[in-house]
Amino acid sequence: MLEYLVLAPVFVRKYYEGGQGLRAPNRETALQLGIATSERMLGICRGRRKFLAASLTLLCIPAITWVYLFSGSFEDGKPVSLSPLESQPHSPRYTASSQRERESLEVRVREVEEENRALRRQLSLAQARGPSHHRSNHSRTYSMEEGTGDSENLRAGIVAGNSSECGQQPVVEKCETIHVAIVCAGYNASRDVVTLVKSVLFHRRNPLHFHLVADSIAEQILATLFQTWMVPAVRVDFYNADELKSEVSWIPNKHYSGIYGLMKLVLTKTLPANLERVIVLDTDITFATDIAELWAVFHKFKGQQVLGLVENQSDWYLGNLWKNHRPWPALGRGYNTGVILLLLDKLRKMKWEQMWRLTAERELMGMLSTSLADQDIFNAVIKQNPFLVYQLPCFWNVQLSDHTRSEQCYRDVSDLKVIHWNSPKKLRVKNKHVEFFRNLYLTFLEYDGNLLRRELFGCPSEADVNSENLQKQLSELDEDDLCYEFRRERFTVHRTHLYFLHYEYEPAADNTDVTLVAQLSMDRLQMLEAICKHWEGPISLALYLSDAEAQQFLRYAQGSEVLMSRHNVAYHIVYKEGQFYPVNLLRNVAMKHVGTPYMFLSDIDFLPMYGLYEYLRKSVIQLDLANTKKAMIVPAFETLRYRLSFPKSKAELLSMLDMGTLFTFRYHVWMKGHAPTNFAKWRTATTPYRVEWEADFEPYVVVRRDCPEYDRRFVGFGWNKVAHIMELDAQEYEFTVLPNAYMIHMPHAPSFDITKFRSNKQYRICLKTLKEEFQQDMSRRYGFAALKYLTAENNS
């Protein structure tokens, strides 16, 4: 269309270049060009999208024509000099004939201007009557793959307010809920889902309803995550994937996704019967736009179209990747099922279950197994029934596997909609723009998920009992209280990702198994390998990290042979929020997900003696912990040396104590914390012995899994363990010191919280206030027996 607009300036430019190439036309030719351009422009422009271009053209053509008319003259088709002298009426070249010709042309130009003004008035009236419903016969091409059924330019935007379509666009209502289905199983897939969900939440403007087909592991992880994430206008429902195995287990599958890679086939049966449509996504998807744009594509389905898919961008289904390559049947290149639009209601009416089962049975007679899981069966069905599919433009599923045509799906960043890491190599895939895609993925991977807890203004959220209770509790706090931040932390809900890495452990059958429990932040990460070398039993760790730090931890763990060789270490990520280190919340998270009957409540800075795990299991039997309320104490020591030859026996430890290489823990700073252990007696003890509770006692103990939790009001430094030991005593636990057990504290720089405690007077005042309130609560809960804690505190 613009070729007519730019043609006249080309003549003028060529004229100024000295007449090389094109010869300068006479004025009549130029005028006719302008008139023809106007007429053709009026015929081309149909609808809203053409109105702006037509208007600009009609405004520019008279200006171009006048510039041309008054910029020079021609004679005999040759270029003539345009010097000021030669352009004057007194110039010999200025003849009467040319004067008449000029006047005639000026009259004609005025007529053209009048016609243009009339055209502009007509176009204005057309605009005032409302948008045209006629679509353009031309669409801008961004790739070799276009949406089937019409020639609309999907790349220009589908949602209202982001559309450049000529015709009226399908829109997604402001508060319309968008339904998304994802099949997820296992620890790694659960991590991938979080990144996918972040990318969707980042761009979304509508309420979301996630339908997660998950195994028991993924459901436990993701249910806790979403419950603690507390994102407004997001609902999550789970469907037991293990119950669906029988539906697809008869299909042999070579794909690395295993049996769960076939479960998208049974979504019509799995999802609620009243759910009419859903977007189905693989876990390795990253969104670069609002998912509502994809949801709006449902309005473009016609006739019997029930599946929205993007063409496969590799040559897999062409069968030419290697000699004797024999893929499943597919229509052309086939379709990729990483992103699917399903019209569930129509699929059910078409008896989709019967359709795909018959197709799979027929093809498996020759193919024996699937290579690409559900994708092979979807393509086989489409091969027989091509009318089922609505082909999406390929930017809705840019497939980043090796040797694909994905680079034809985009020209610049604004073209990207959905990125699909569908290669087993994932981020190591070959693509000339892979660095950009990798950075986009890492942006969401490390993005602070707390920032996505934003309200959707104008869209009422469903009532959430937990959220309402939290708001009620916070409203009861006095914001003018100098200890308000301390009190508020007790009610803060921290986003929690359980089992961040693969975990696999079956407790010992003799019911004596013990799990080491600890918590840590990024600055204690170096202790993990040493602890794993000292403790061969199961470990439950709560890590307080930001989203970015969680990824650093993941890379650290995956690069450690020691950590990767241990599948009985559970890593639970509690994401950072607020100004305090929630030490007791972390301990509670780690304790809650212990799978053994007993727990060793330790700290990350301590290394247990070699063989402590087996020694504790024997002590559990010896002291009959299963039937008595006992807390077995592991005596704590410390060294000031960063390099220590760790004692391999009690005798060696006693020798190091005598030499001054080791000390009883905190003897020079906080002796009251461990003095009741009676280290003098321990030196010669050969059998367990009982000790009594004393004020500020905070030993490291082994207890049953059903022991009370830590009190969350204590954050940062101070009284977090003391309060817990006090409650154990109030519940009549018997403290018993193990004679042949020990643990050693390794030196490290002071934590940020202990620095605040030492330097901030208000911090110490608030800690004292919290202690008094805790003791009052103890008196209310345990009555007369708790009076000794008040007396002991006053005497200390």
Side-chain angles (χ1 to χ4, degrees), residues 226-438:
F226 279 104
Q227 182 181 358
T228 54
W229 203 342
M230 300 181 71
V231 183
V234 171
R235 177 179 170 183
V236 182
D237 283 329
F238 290 90
Y239 307 85
N240 193 334
D242 295 328
E243 294 179 357
L244 301 175
K245 286 183 177 180
S246 60
E247 301 284 342
V248 293
S249 59
W250 57 274
I251 305 174
N253 179 28
K254 294 180 180 178
H255 194 256
Y256 61 83
S257 60
I259 192 171
Y260 299 101
L262 298 163
M263 290 189 177
K264 284 185 280 188
L265 293 165
V266 297
L267 287 179
T268 53
K269 186 176 181 179
T270 306
L271 298 180
N274 60 351
L275 183 60
E276 297 181 355
R277 61 190 65 180
V278 69
I279 297 173
V280 186
L281 302 173
D282 278 357
T283 58
D284 52 1
I285 290 290
T286 304
F287 266 78
T289 191
D290 189 348
I291 195 172
E293 295 183 34
L294 182 57
W295 184 258
V297 178
F298 276 116
H299 297 290
K300 298 179 180 293
F301 283 29
K302 296 178 180 178
Q304 292 181 293
Q305 292 173 339
V306 290
L307 304 170
L309 293 163
V310 170
E311 187 179 50
N312 201 46
Q313 291 158 20
S314 75
D315 292 343
W316 176 270
Y317 287 108
L318 298 181
N320 57 9
L321 292 183
W322 59 80
K323 187 178 181 180
N324 299 326
H325 176 215
R326 186 169 169 241
W328 275 56
L331 197 63
R333 288 183 171 275
Y335 294 91
N336 184 278
T337 56
V339 178
I340 315 176
L341 271 62
L342 290 183
L343 273 181
L344 296 171
D345 52 345
K346 285 190 175 182
L347 280 168
R348 294 180 183 114
K349 292 176 183 177
M350 290 180 177
K351 297 184 178 180
W352 166 254
E353 283 285 322
Q354 181 180 355
M355 187 183 299
W356 74 259
R357 284 177 181 275
L358 291 175
T359 301
E361 289 171 358
R362 182 181 66 249
E363 297 300 332
L364 283 170
M365 293 176 66
M367 299 302 299
L368 302 182
S369 67
T370 62
S371 297
L372 299 182
D374 64 270
Q375 184 169 301
D376 284 338
I377 298 175
F378 270 102
N379 275 287
V381 173
I382 292 170
K383 175 75 172 179
Q384 297 296 319
N385 308 278
F387 56 86
L388 296 177
V389 69
Y390 176 95
Q391 183 171 323
L392 300 170
C394 68
F395 48 67
W396 282 118
N397 186 352
V398 178
Q399 300 151 38
L400 296 183
S401 55
D402 291 343
H403 313 298
T404 70
R405 302 158 66 240
S406 59
E407 294 170 12
Q408 301 179 27
C409 296
Y410 54 89
R411 292 183 180 178
D412 52 45
V413 175
S414 61
D415 294 334
L416 293 172
K417 300 289 187 184
V418 174
I419 300 167
H420 186 188
W421 302 89
N422 62 318
S423 166
K425 296 180 180 180
K426 300 306 177 186
L427 299 186
R428 302 188 306 276
V429 72
K430 294 179 181 178
N431 181 290
K432 69 179 182 180
H433 300 119
V434 71
E435 196 63 31
F436 170 81
F437 293 121
R438 188 184 293 117

Side-chain angles (χ1 to χ4, degrees), residues 485-486 489 544 577-581 752-753 756:
E485 293 297 333
F486 283 84
E489 176 59 35
Y544 192 56
E577 186 173 0
Q579 60 174 306
F580 295 106
Y581 184 77
F752 180 64
D753 293 284
K756 284 195 296 184

Side-chain angles (χ1 to χ4, degrees), residues 463-483:
D464 184 349
V465 176
N466 293 330
S467 180
E468 290 178 353
N469 290 338
L470 175 61
Q471 293 302 322
K472 181 180 178 182
Q473 290 169 337
L474 291 175
S475 65
E476 293 173 353
L477 298 179
D478 181 8
E479 295 188 20
D480 295 328
D481 183 358
L482 294 177
C483 300

Side-chain angles (χ1 to χ4, degrees), residues 56-70 109 113 116:
L56 291 173
T57 304
L58 293 173
L59 290 171
C60 292
I61 288 174
I64 294 170
T65 306
W66 276 107
V67 169
Y68 180 77
L69 289 173
F70 289 99
V109 167
E113 284 186 329
N116 288 341

Side-chain angles (χ1 to χ4, degrees), residues 558-593:
Q558 291 175 337
S560 167
E561 293 184 7
V562 174
L563 300 186
M564 285 295 96
S565 65
R566 294 286 298 270
H567 299 299
N568 63 346
V569 181
Y571 302 96
H572 310 298
I573 307 296
V574 177
Y575 288 101
K576 286 184 175 180
E577 186 173 0
Q579 60 174 306
F580 295 106
Y581 184 77
V583 57
N584 280 356
L585 167 67
L586 297 173
R587 288 178 172 135
N588 291 341
V589 169
M591 285 170 54
K592 186 176 180 180
H593 298 95

